[in-house]
Amino acid sequence: MSWLTDPVLEDDHVRLEPVQTGHVEALEEAAAESDLASLWYTNAPSREDVSGDVTRRLEFRSQGTWAPYTIFDQKSGRALGMSGYLNIPKEIRRPEIGGTWMRRSAHRTGANVAAKRLLLAHAFDQLGCMAVEFRTHRFNLQSRRAIEALGAQLDGILRNHFDAFGKPRDTCVYSITSAEWPNVRRHLDWRLERNSAGSQ
């Protein structure tokens, strides 16, 4: 990663730490609460697969193509899941944010929005990225809706493509550009404020 850095990122909601093997046990507990591994169009790990998944992400990190993170809840300290930057170009500053999965109890809490907001802010405000991509399986409608709710626009569908792990699929490619980021940031901040107000 010649230009992309992966410091700890945090706000009042979540803390994103670069993935390490010491996170495996906490992530296994989070994965045990998730049923995403049963969905044929995702790569979310089962509890039994977490250790191998972490090893694979760390291998990609050593190759300079991924910057994986573990997502922790700020209040409880529990691991919520994983996300990060992947498909990192060597020169063009247009990474993808993906490889995301979260425990079921974290769904609809604003944790995913907070994590994506941190990753986007680091990409645009600190690293000067020209755009950030999101990619997902054409049949992963839940993921597509979540990406669109962030404010990303559909660039197109790559047919007979593959995911970040090399598994064949039709890939929906979304992006947020640097010009769009100020309004997207405002939108995400509004969503997080509304979610916080609703939880009080």
Side-chain angles (χ1 to χ4, degrees):
M1 295 180 292
S2 59
W3 57 270
L4 196 148
T5 59
D6 56 347
V8 171
L9 305 172
E10 61 184 325
D11 61 10
D12 293 338
H13 309 280
V14 295
R15 176 181 174 87
L16 275 61
E17 297 183 10
V19 170
Q20 52 186 281
T21 55
H23 295 165
V24 167
E25 184 175 352
L27 287 168
E28 286 176 338
E29 192 269 330
E33 192 189 303
S34 172
D35 60 357
L36 294 176
S38 65
L39 302 177
W40 67 271
Y41 48 77
T42 76
N43 280 313
S46 65
R47 179 171 190 156
E48 294 73 24
D49 295 333
V50 165
S51 180
D53 185 72
V54 167
T55 297
R56 184 164 45 176
R57 292 179 191 232
L58 290 176
E59 288 174 353
F60 288 143
R61 187 188 190 286
S62 69
Q63 296 166 10
T65 59
W66 281 45
Y69 280 93
T70 299
I71 306 168
F72 292 94
D73 179 71
Q74 283 284 37
K75 292 182 179 180
S76 68
R78 295 195 309 168
L80 300 180
M82 304 175 79
S83 191
Y85 303 105
L86 46 125
N87 290 326
I88 301 168
K90 291 184 178 180
E91 297 180 1
I92 299 175
R93 300 197 174 203
R94 188 186 173 98
E96 175 188 345
I97 291 176
T100 304
W101 63 269
M102 302 189 80
R103 63 165 71 232
R104 175 163 290 280
S105 61
H107 293 189
R108 302 184 184 279
T109 65
N112 180 59
V113 175
K116 295 301 193 301
R117 202 274 188 210
L118 287 169
L119 290 166
L120 285 165
H122 182 61
F124 286 119
D125 299 337
Q126 274 69 56
L127 300 176
C129 290
M130 60 185 293
V132 173
E133 292 185 359
F134 298 86
R135 299 188 176 202
T136 192
H137 198 296
R138 180 168 66 90
F139 283 100
N140 194 340
L141 301 182
Q142 180 180 353
S143 175
R144 293 180 65 178
R145 286 194 296 269
I147 292 170
E148 291 167 0
L150 293 174
Q153 299 291 318
L154 179 65
D155 293 335
I157 300 177
L158 302 176
R159 305 188 64 195
N160 271 354
H161 194 241
F162 49 86
D163 63 22
F165 295 102
K167 183 178 178 181
R169 71 177 182 186
D170 288 349
T171 300
C172 292
V173 182
Y174 292 82
S175 68
I176 296 171
T177 67
S178 57
E180 295 167 342
W181 169 234
N183 279 335
V184 170
R185 177 174 53 204
R186 186 176 298 114
H187 172 64
L188 297 180
D189 288 343
W190 172 77
R191 287 185 63 186
L192 290 170
E193 289 171 5
R194 185 179 64 168
N195 186 77
S196 295
S199 64
Q200 293 177 357

